[in-house]
Amino acid sequence: MLKKIKTCFLFIVCFLAYSCSSTPDKVFVEDDINIIPKPETVILGSGNFKFRSSTYLVVESEIQHEAADILAGFFQSAQEWQMNVVEEEAKPYSNYVEFVTKNTLALDAYELSVTGDGVSIFANSPGGFLYGVQTIRQLLPVKIESKNLPENVSWVIPQIEIKDEPRFGWRGLMLDVSRHFFPKEYIKEVIDGLAMHKMNVLHFHLVDDQGWRIEIKKYPKLTEVGAWRVDHEDKHWNARPAAQSGEEATYGGFYTQEDIKEIVAYAASKNIEVVPEIEMPAHVSSAVAAYPELSCNETQIQVPSGGVWPITDIYCAGKDHTFDFLENVLIEVMELFPSQYIHIGGDEATKTNWKTCGHCQARMKNEGLKTEEELQSYFIKRMERFISSKGRTLIGWDEILEGGLAPGATVMSWRGVKGGLEAAGEGHDVVMTPNSHCYFDHYQGPQDQEPLAIGGYLPLSKVYKFDPVVEGMTQEEAKHVLGGQANLWSEYIPTTSHSQYMIYPRLAALAEAVWSPKENKDWNDFSRRIESMFTRYGLRGINYAKSAYLLSADSQMDMENKTVGITLNNELPNSDIRYSVNGSPMQKFEQPIKLTETTTIKALLYKNDEPAGKEFNKTIKFHQAVGKKPEFKTTYHKSYQGTGDYNLVNALRGTKNFHDGQWQAWLGEDMEATIDLGQSTEISKVIVGAMESQGPQIYFPTDIEVYLSKDGEAFEQAGKINRPYAQNASPELKDFVVDFEKTEASHVKVKAIGLKKHPLRDGSVWLFVDEILVE
Ligand code: TNX
């Protein structure tokens, strides 16, 4: 009996000891560490630390207090806990988070040391402490993002040693609030998102043709007039009519100076600098609509409701009045924004009016300027002198290189990395934002499954590849690279939820590209960690894109057997993809699906046995020409080769993404293909699949002609169709169907007559074809 009691006592003691010790309930393994951006070094220990409502946050300074408040804020919103923030002297023996200044650490660097008793964050700057806190947040269970008071969550983090510091000092996102206006509350949400990813620059594009968004006290009409346009939000961006007289301008908005102060202060509390952009000399219709005297010909214009190109109403570079105006505007702007950098735009100036303007021509003469490019350079240099006289640094888009770069200017390279390379070569600082890797207004998944975007294709994995230091840069040049940034132009982004969709998760990939040491980057590893970020986004109510889960199909031709092999894939590796053919039961996709006839494939991606993403549903249509090699009169362009020689007879169709690898194209030329069917075949229809996307100069053919032959020598026309050129605002796919009476033939010749020359200006245009179907 005594023995029994003894055992029982021992058991209770053990149990109590077990439940009071530093939480035995989770054993962390490497794969539980999902921090994005990936820290410099992580050493995982065993055991863990548990946060409680009674956990003390111990600080030595006001700066640390602010970081501690942010940490406490996470528990406040997830659990309604009020944690104690105390001064150093009151540090308890266990269950604390201490903030400790360590003088040897670089700006924004931090170290995190977690034991069973406490957490220590070492840093030497406000940013460092904040980033330490963000890392703790990402070590905590994802439910920390929840606002619904989750129950029974054990708030444990692993015992761990982390050393971390950013690779670049400029880790930015640009928001275009002109093309569409976004309220102050949303801007703050984006700032929260930036902070979560350890980003530190919000580039605020406050001025563009379609809206002036910042209150300037000296020039009230900038917002009274310039912030508003006629509401044509129901129409495609490029199909919005010019304002008619008497139409009310009701779409728009602007930030008051009080709003701006609030945004700037909120960002600063999260170690984010807000860099204002005041465009000049172009992209300023909104300002010219308010004050026509700022332009060369001084005619009254309206704020455009959508895309107009080119825009010739730019600031006059001849009148001193323009410069007085801009200096006065910038004085108010610099009072509101403490940032070192002032962005003056400088991009895409159509200088037509400068060529005929008396003031501009007089200026050129007096200043000894030979070209209008030099006049633009004069403009920017003059502004640079003003900005640097105020102790600030001018930054502008890479066009500011044209005609000679202003001495103290920093360049933001957007037309690829060329401008950045050139500027760095000349000893200027640069921020890399190449449109190849940083344009978040571009599509991020298969275009036929994505909401309308401006074009382009920038999937998550491509953002991940971004490196602001370009191959071929010398060490000296690389030192001039301040960092990188994504740009979210908003022509096609009318709502805040759509804006979130374009930002997340690509921001996570960008963050790792600009924060983590290059050697630490690993796409497979990132693909695992991003899943936890997805859950966090979801819990925060962020409408993030699940495009990386979208399925697409690739095909391979088996020439001998005339079969098509279909491979299903999505962007993330090792996915569980299941499919059915013509309604068969679902099966796991493991190897190419072999097709010999027209087949409908449905597929879904699974996560933990649950469907994720959208259903893929495609009918692969077989026809008489599948696998019969076309001979081209002129070969397709080397930039658009599709899948090669069999592209037009591979049964797979292209999407609206003209980079999807299914399109062959001809530039300024017609397409003429002859297909040997190998035997006499009954034919009554030929279909040519084409695309139109007038923005990137892709035009439908104007005529399709079909010729048949029984011997490959003598061809007779079987049919033709004509479809004259018409303006078309949206990208469109179309099957051109040529019907004719049933005919026996062994050879088919198809001519697609392209538009060849641009309908409105000089230059050749594209003809895009994805399949020739013979039936
Ligand atoms: C070019 S990038 C622009 C913007 C457009 C953007 C659309 C740059 C400096 N100018 O005005 O919104 O392309 O992607």
PDB file of all heavy atoms in Angstrom, residues 399-420:
ATOM      1  N   GLU A 399      15.353  57.879 -66.849  1.00  0.00           N
ATOM      2  CA  GLU A 399      15.394  58.862 -67.943  1.00  0.00           C
ATOM      3  C   GLU A 399      16.224  60.083 -67.568  1.00  0.00           C
ATOM      4  O   GLU A 399      16.656  60.834 -68.443  1.00  0.00           O
ATOM      5  CB  GLU A 399      13.982  59.321 -68.321  1.00  0.00           C
ATOM      6  CG  GLU A 399      13.196  58.326 -69.154  1.00  0.00           C
ATOM      7  CD  GLU A 399      12.358  57.375 -68.321  1.00  0.00           C
ATOM      8  OE1 GLU A 399      12.694  57.169 -67.136  1.00  0.00           O
ATOM      9  OE2 GLU A 399      11.373  56.835 -68.855  1.00  0.00           O
ATOM     10  N   ILE A 400      16.444  60.306 -66.255  1.00  0.00           N
ATOM     11  CA  ILE A 400      17.213  61.503 -65.876  1.00  0.00           C
ATOM     12  C   ILE A 400      18.676  61.391 -66.296  1.00  0.00           C
ATOM     13  O   ILE A 400      19.434  62.336 -66.201  1.00  0.00           O
ATOM     14  CB  ILE A 400      17.103  61.848 -64.367  1.00  0.00           C
ATOM     15  CG1 ILE A 400      17.743  60.773 -63.485  1.00  0.00           C
ATOM     16  CG2 ILE A 400      15.653  62.090 -63.959  1.00  0.00           C
ATOM     17  CD1 ILE A 400      17.845  61.193 -62.010  1.00  0.00           C
ATOM     18  N   LEU A 401      19.057  60.214 -66.797  1.00  0.00           N
ATOM     19  CA  LEU A 401      20.411  60.063 -67.343  1.00  0.00           C
ATOM     20  C   LEU A 401      20.535  60.737 -68.706  1.00  0.00           C
ATOM     21  O   LEU A 401      21.626  61.144 -69.120  1.00  0.00           O
ATOM     22  CB  LEU A 401      20.731  58.576 -67.522  1.00  0.00           C
ATOM     23  CG  LEU A 401      21.165  57.783 -66.288  1.00  0.00           C
ATOM     24  CD1 LEU A 401      20.839  56.314 -66.475  1.00  0.00           C
ATOM     25  CD2 LEU A 401      22.653  57.965 -66.039  1.00  0.00           C
ATOM     26  N   GLU A 402      19.390  60.827 -69.417  1.00  0.00           N
ATOM     27  CA  GLU A 402      19.432  61.327 -70.790  1.00  0.00           C
ATOM     28  C   GLU A 402      19.813  62.803 -70.811  1.00  0.00           C
ATOM     29  O   GLU A 402      19.266  63.589 -70.056  1.00  0.00           O
ATOM     30  CB  GLU A 402      18.065  61.115 -71.470  1.00  0.00           C
ATOM     31  CG  GLU A 402      17.808  59.644 -71.756  1.00  0.00           C
ATOM     32  CD  GLU A 402      16.324  59.311 -71.959  1.00  0.00           C
ATOM     33  OE1 GLU A 402      15.525  60.233 -72.214  1.00  0.00           O
ATOM     34  OE2 GLU A 402      15.991  58.120 -71.844  1.00  0.00           O
ATOM     35  N   GLY A 403      20.744  63.116 -71.656  1.00  0.00           N
ATOM     36  CA  GLY A 403      21.186  64.509 -71.771  1.00  0.00           C
ATOM     37  C   GLY A 403      22.121  64.925 -70.657  1.00  0.00           C
ATOM     38  O   GLY A 403      22.432  66.101 -70.505  1.00  0.00           O
ATOM     39  N   GLY A 404      22.542  63.974 -69.820  1.00  0.00           N
ATOM     40  CA  GLY A 404      23.517  64.292 -68.757  1.00  0.00           C
ATOM     41  C   GLY A 404      22.880  64.280 -67.387  1.00  0.00           C
ATOM     42  O   GLY A 404      21.869  64.940 -67.142  1.00  0.00           O
ATOM     43  N   LEU A 405      23.471  63.495 -66.471  1.00  0.00           N
ATOM     44  CA  LEU A 405      22.915  63.307 -65.137  1.00  0.00           C
ATOM     45  C   LEU A 405      23.345  64.439 -64.202  1.00  0.00           C
ATOM     46  O   LEU A 405      24.501  64.852 -64.211  1.00  0.00           O
ATOM     47  CB  LEU A 405      23.403  61.946 -64.603  1.00  0.00           C
ATOM     48  CG  LEU A 405      22.815  61.407 -63.312  1.00  0.00           C
ATOM     49  CD1 LEU A 405      21.295  61.359 -63.363  1.00  0.00           C
ATOM     50  CD2 LEU A 405      23.361  60.007 -63.035  1.00  0.00           C
ATOM     51  N   ALA A 406      22.400  64.914 -63.379  1.00  0.00           N
ATOM     52  CA  ALA A 406      22.716  65.944 -62.388  1.00  0.00           C
ATOM     53  C   ALA A 406      23.715  65.388 -61.373  1.00  0.00           C
ATOM     54  O   ALA A 406      23.628  64.222 -61.005  1.00  0.00           O
ATOM     55  CB  ALA A 406      21.439  66.395 -61.686  1.00  0.00           C
ATOM     56  N   PRO A 407      24.651  66.235 -60.925  1.00  0.00           N
ATOM     57  CA  PRO A 407      25.776  65.736 -60.124  1.00  0.00           C
ATOM     58  C   PRO A 407      25.393  64.916 -58.891  1.00  0.00           C
ATOM     59  O   PRO A 407      25.914  63.829 -58.683  1.00  0.00           O
ATOM     60  CB  PRO A 407      26.528  67.008 -59.715  1.00  0.00           C
ATOM     61  CG  PRO A 407      25.865  68.146 -60.375  1.00  0.00           C
ATOM     62  CD  PRO A 407      24.736  67.667 -61.205  1.00  0.00           C
ATOM     63  N   GLY A 408      24.458  65.378 -58.078  1.00  0.00           N
ATOM     64  CA  GLY A 408      24.192  64.652 -56.823  1.00  0.00           C
ATOM     65  C   GLY A 408      23.042  63.658 -56.914  1.00  0.00           C
ATOM     66  O   GLY A 408      22.565  63.177 -55.889  1.00  0.00           O
ATOM     67  N   ALA A 409      22.599  63.375 -58.141  1.00  0.00           N
ATOM     68  CA  ALA A 409      21.355  62.609 -58.275  1.00  0.00           C
ATOM     69  C   ALA A 409      21.549  61.108 -58.050  1.00  0.00           C
ATOM     70  O   ALA A 409      22.594  60.554 -58.362  1.00  0.00           O
ATOM     71  CB  ALA A 409      20.760  62.840 -59.653  1.00  0.00           C
ATOM     72  N   THR A 410      20.508  60.483 -57.509  1.00  0.00           N
ATOM     73  CA  THR A 410      20.438  59.031 -57.384  1.00  0.00           C
ATOM     74  C   THR A 410      19.440  58.542 -58.434  1.00  0.00           C
ATOM     75  O   THR A 410      18.427  59.196 -58.687  1.00  0.00           O
ATOM     76  CB  THR A 410      19.975  58.653 -55.960  1.00  0.00           C
ATOM     77  OG1 THR A 410      20.967  59.108 -55.043  1.00  0.00           O
ATOM     78  CG2 THR A 410      19.780  57.165 -55.797  1.00  0.00           C
ATOM     79  N   VAL A 411      19.744  57.403 -59.041  1.00  0.00           N
ATOM     80  CA  VAL A 411      18.920  56.925 -60.159  1.00  0.00           C
ATOM     81  C   VAL A 411      18.120  55.697 -59.766  1.00  0.00           C
ATOM     82  O   VAL A 411      18.645  54.783 -59.124  1.00  0.00           O
ATOM     83  CB  VAL A 411      19.813  56.601 -61.381  1.00  0.00           C
ATOM     84  CG1 VAL A 411      19.035  55.879 -62.473  1.00  0.00           C
ATOM     85  CG2 VAL A 411      20.427  57.882 -61.935  1.00  0.00           C
ATOM     86  N   MET A 412      16.840  55.704 -60.149  1.00  0.00           N
ATOM     87  CA  MET A 412      16.006  54.535 -59.938  1.00  0.00           C
ATOM     88  C   MET A 412      15.853  53.852 -61.296  1.00  0.00           C
ATOM     89  O   MET A 412      15.222  54.401 -62.212  1.00  0.00           O
ATOM     90  CB  MET A 412      14.662  54.975 -59.374  1.00  0.00           C
ATOM     91  CG  MET A 412      13.888  53.875 -58.738  1.00  0.00           C
ATOM     92  SD  MET A 412      12.483  54.525 -57.816  1.00  0.00           S
ATOM     93  CE  MET A 412      13.065  54.349 -56.141  1.00  0.00           C
ATOM     94  N   SER A 413      16.430  52.686 -61.424  1.00  0.00           N
ATOM     95  CA  SER A 413      16.523  52.029 -62.724  1.00  0.00           C
ATOM     96  C   SER A 413      15.300  51.144 -62.948  1.00  0.00           C
ATOM     97  O   SER A 413      15.113  50.157 -62.251  1.00  0.00           O
ATOM     98  CB  SER A 413      17.799  51.180 -62.743  1.00  0.00           C
ATOM     99  OG  SER A 413      18.054  50.698 -64.029  1.00  0.00           O
ATOM    100  N   TRP A 414      14.455  51.521 -63.901  1.00  0.00           N
ATOM    101  CA  TRP A 414      13.216  50.752 -64.134  1.00  0.00           C
ATOM    102  C   TRP A 414      13.191  50.071 -65.500  1.00  0.00           C
ATOM    103  O   TRP A 414      12.626  49.006 -65.653  1.00  0.00           O
ATOM    104  CB  TRP A 414      11.982  51.644 -63.940  1.00  0.00           C
ATOM    105  CG  TRP A 414      11.700  52.646 -65.027  1.00  0.00           C
ATOM    106  CD1 TRP A 414      12.267  53.878 -65.158  1.00  0.00           C
ATOM    107  CD2 TRP A 414      10.758  52.512 -66.099  1.00  0.00           C
ATOM    108  NE1 TRP A 414      11.752  54.522 -66.249  1.00  0.00           N
ATOM    109  CE2 TRP A 414      10.812  53.710 -66.842  1.00  0.00           C
ATOM    110  CE3 TRP A 414       9.868  51.506 -66.495  1.00  0.00           C
ATOM    111  CZ2 TRP A 414      10.028  53.928 -67.966  1.00  0.00           C
ATOM    112  CZ3 TRP A 414       9.082  51.727 -67.614  1.00  0.00           C
ATOM    113  CH2 TRP A 414       9.163  52.921 -68.349  1.00  0.00           C
ATOM    114  N   ARG A 415      13.840  50.687 -66.502  1.00  0.00           N
ATOM    115  CA  ARG A 415      13.822  50.049 -67.832  1.00  0.00           C
ATOM    116  C   ARG A 415      14.954  49.032 -67.850  1.00  0.00           C
ATOM    117  O   ARG A 415      15.986  49.231 -68.477  1.00  0.00           O
ATOM    118  CB  ARG A 415      13.978  51.122 -68.914  1.00  0.00           C
ATOM    119  CG  ARG A 415      12.795  52.077 -68.954  1.00  0.00           C
ATOM    120  CD  ARG A 415      12.994  53.198 -69.925  1.00  0.00           C
ATOM    121  NE  ARG A 415      14.151  54.019 -69.580  1.00  0.00           N
ATOM    122  CZ  ARG A 415      14.589  55.036 -70.297  1.00  0.00           C
ATOM    123  NH1 ARG A 415      13.981  55.357 -71.410  1.00  0.00           N
ATOM    124  NH2 ARG A 415      15.635  55.719 -69.903  1.00  0.00           N
ATOM    125  N   GLY A 416      14.746  47.970 -67.109  1.00  0.00           N
ATOM    126  CA  GLY A 416      15.807  46.999 -66.905  1.00  0.00           C
ATOM    127  C   GLY A 416      16.836  47.565 -65.937  1.00  0.00           C
ATOM    128  O   GLY A 416      16.544  48.487 -65.171  1.00  0.00           O
ATOM    129  N   VAL A 417      18.054  47.017 -66.022  1.00  0.00           N
ATOM    130  CA  VAL A 417      19.096  47.434 -65.074  1.00  0.00           C
ATOM    131  C   VAL A 417      20.135  48.328 -65.745  1.00  0.00           C
ATOM    132  O   VAL A 417      21.082  48.782 -65.107  1.00  0.00           O
ATOM    133  CB  VAL A 417      19.808  46.198 -64.461  1.00  0.00           C
ATOM    134  CG1 VAL A 417      18.852  45.423 -63.581  1.00  0.00           C
ATOM    135  CG2 VAL A 417      20.374  45.292 -65.551  1.00  0.00           C
ATOM    136  N   LYS A 418      19.914  48.577 -67.044  1.00  0.00           N
ATOM    137  CA  LYS A 418      20.874  49.348 -67.845  1.00  0.00           C
ATOM    138  C   LYS A 418      21.196  50.704 -67.218  1.00  0.00           C
ATOM    139  O   LYS A 418      22.355  51.062 -67.026  1.00  0.00           O
ATOM    140  CB  LYS A 418      20.250  49.580 -69.223  1.00  0.00           C
ATOM    141  CG  LYS A 418      21.134  49.278 -70.378  1.00  0.00           C
ATOM    142  CD  LYS A 418      20.420  49.362 -71.717  1.00  0.00           C
ATOM    143  CE  LYS A 418      19.571  50.561 -71.978  1.00  0.00           C
ATOM    144  NZ  LYS A 418      18.196  50.698 -71.800  1.00  0.00           N
ATOM    145  N   GLY A 419      20.142  51.448 -66.912  1.00  0.00           N
ATOM    146  CA  GLY A 419      20.309  52.788 -66.337  1.00  0.00           C
ATOM    147  C   GLY A 419      21.076  52.725 -65.025  1.00  0.00           C
ATOM    148  O   GLY A 419      21.925  53.577 -64.751  1.00  0.00           O
ATOM    149  N   GLY A 420      20.767  51.699 -64.235  1.00  0.00           N
ATOM    150  CA  GLY A 420      21.431  51.544 -62.946  1.00  0.00           C
ATOM    151  C   GLY A 420      22.914  51.279 -63.122  1.00  0.00           C
ATOM    152  O   GLY A 420      23.756  51.842 -62.416  1.00  0.00           O
TER     153      GLY A 420
END
